[in-house]
Amino acid sequence: METVTAAVTHEGEPAAGGRPGRPLIVTEDEDLLDDLLRLCAAAGAKAEVHHGVPEPRGSWEAAPLVLVGDDAARRVRGAARRRGVVLVGRDQDDSGVWKRAVEIGADHVLMLPDGEQWLVDRIADVTEGVGRPALTVGVIGGRGGAGASTLACALAVTSAREGLRTLLVDADPLGGGLDVLLGGESTEGLRWPAFAASRGRVGGGALEESLPRLHSLRVLSWDRGDRIAVPPQAVRAVLAAARRRGGTVVVDLPRRLDDGVAEVLSQLDLGILVVPAELRAVAAAGRVASAVGMVLRDLRVAVRGPYTPGLDDREVARLLGLPLVGEVPVESALQRPRGSDAPPGAAVRGPLARFCKEFWERALAEAGAA
């Protein structure tokens, strides 16, 4: 099998410490230049173009990624060594390309057209600035009416209030829309159906800016149209873009599992199963946990009262064989701040907000230690 891209010396890193910037293209090959500009555009990046090492050489050293056409390898041989240099060619049978890559200190050799997707991903990474991915938490009800959507909203509202970049994702097309629960169904911005055709790479910054902004967080919900599903590839691309932005992502999950939900589960760091403290609810939650656990390794239980005699939160967790997050306080609309659009968890000193804040403190500490 042919290798379309391979490391030569060391793993490349953006020269500017991961900060967003413009890739630098060095080539006189017009056809190659057209291809590289097209790939930069696909990654949402604008490139700086030179025929040789730019003068002054600040842009050579500052660019997060340098794409050197094989035709220009000789011209950049004397440039300062740096990370993030890719030698790009077309001739798979040219063994001399490896020698030229070593001479210019390239991290990778890439052959077009086979390496196009790798290069688009690489350009997008360095342009956006890649740091720690978002801590991604899914919330699912053990049975209908368990309060999973309420908890998902409260977790997102609390995360945003703590100053974290936050995205709330509605993965349940039959749930009525989390934007409605947040009082923002008429707020401008894209909903899930707009991303149904997404494939490959979705720009994280463009995604964030396109979504409705409610209560200092971004929301990806469903519209009131007929579409009730998007292809798994679109789900994968959108959620991966959201995770690259860092902060937190909270996903409200449906209890029915399909290919799209499986894509979401595969990208979660942990899941919370919300279970009312009733024997029938525990039995139903056991079936949900069994299905979800086939994809998600870290599933925990949050228990909601009132309690059936003989049950408490620890007993529910024991029966399900899952780690206990805690008891979810019940917060009625009357307990929220005045205003019809006040979302769950908006009361800063309320029991639900305190529960969510304590959860994030523990979860973020665990993620930092991982």
Side-chain angles (χ1 to χ4, degrees), residues 341-368:
D341 62 345
V348 179
R349 298 182 181 179
L352 184 56
R354 291 199 301 270
F355 172 89
C356 292
K357 183 176 180 180
E358 291 171 1
F359 167 80
W360 285 123
E361 288 174 350
R362 294 193 303 269
L364 289 166
E366 292 173 7

Side-chain angles (χ1 to χ4, degrees), residues 123-250:
I123 294 168
D125 280 342
V126 299
T127 301
E128 291 180 2
V130 176
R132 180 185 292 275
L135 176 60
T136 306
V137 177
V139 186
I140 187 169
R143 66 155 170 78
S149 296
T150 297
L151 179 58
C153 285
L155 285 170
V157 168
T158 303
S159 170
R161 188 166 53 232
E162 293 298 308
L164 296 171
R165 173 184 277 119
T166 305
L167 173 62
L168 176 61
V169 178
D170 186 354
D172 186 1
L174 302 180
L178 290 185
D179 53 352
V180 176
L181 186 55
L182 292 170
E185 61 271 20
S186 61
T187 303
E188 292 187 1
L190 299 184
R191 268 68 173 178
W192 265 119
F195 298 99
S198 298
R199 299 290 187 277
R201 182 81 177 212
V202 174
L207 171 68
E208 183 177 0
E209 291 301 317
S210 72
L211 298 177
R213 181 178 177 86
L214 299 166
H215 308 285
S216 300
L217 58 95
R218 297 286 179 171
V219 182
L220 177 53
S221 189
W222 294 86
D223 60 16
R224 264 39 80 183
D226 296 332
R227 181 182 284 275
I228 59 171
V230 296
Q233 305 96 310
V235 174
R236 182 189 313 129
V238 170
L239 196 55
R243 284 174 54 81
R244 287 195 303 272
R245 296 292 286 170
T248 66
V249 175
V250 181

Side-chain angles (χ1 to χ4, degrees), residues 135-140 253 264-274 288-289 291-302 321-325 359 362-367 370:
L135 176 60
T136 306
V137 177
V139 186
I140 187 169
L253 294 162
V264 176
L265 291 173
S266 69
Q267 296 200 48
L268 296 181
D269 294 303
L270 64 93
I272 301 175
L273 180 64
V274 183
V288 174
V292 171
M294 290 189 293
V295 182
L296 178 61
R297 293 183 179 180
D298 190 353
L299 181 64
R300 311 177 190 184
V301 61
L322 297 174
L324 178 65
V325 173
F359 167 80
R362 294 193 303 269
L364 289 166
E366 292 173 7

